[in-house]
Amino acid sequence: MKKDIHPDYHTITVEMTDGSTFETRSTYGKEGDVLKLDIDVKTHPAWTGGQQHLRDDGQVAKFKKRFANFGLK
């Protein structure tokens, strides 16, 4: 294996949006740095099952609008 080509792998602290923290190993920053998250699994709707944004101008919406009065159910 070649020497001096791999990034430094060290311990950092990750701070979640609610203020809780945990330690992990990463190539981010330097030893002891804090990575503050803006979005995480505790708050993002993709993981929490919160309100979903539905496109009203998407292909399915256009199809439904075009064939709304067609009579098929």
Side-chain angles (χ1 to χ4, degrees), residues 7-14 22-28 31:
D8 181 32
Y9 192 60
H10 48 269
T11 304
I12 64 166
T13 303
V14 178
F22 66 92
E23 285 191 1
T24 188
R25 292 182 50 84
S26 174
T27 57
Y28 171 82
E31 179 79 27

Side-chain angles (χ1 to χ4, degrees), residues 6 21 40-41 46 55 58-59 73:
H6 300 287
T21 61
D40 62 26
V41 298
R55 291 184 57 176
Q59 292 294 322
K73 300 242 179 201

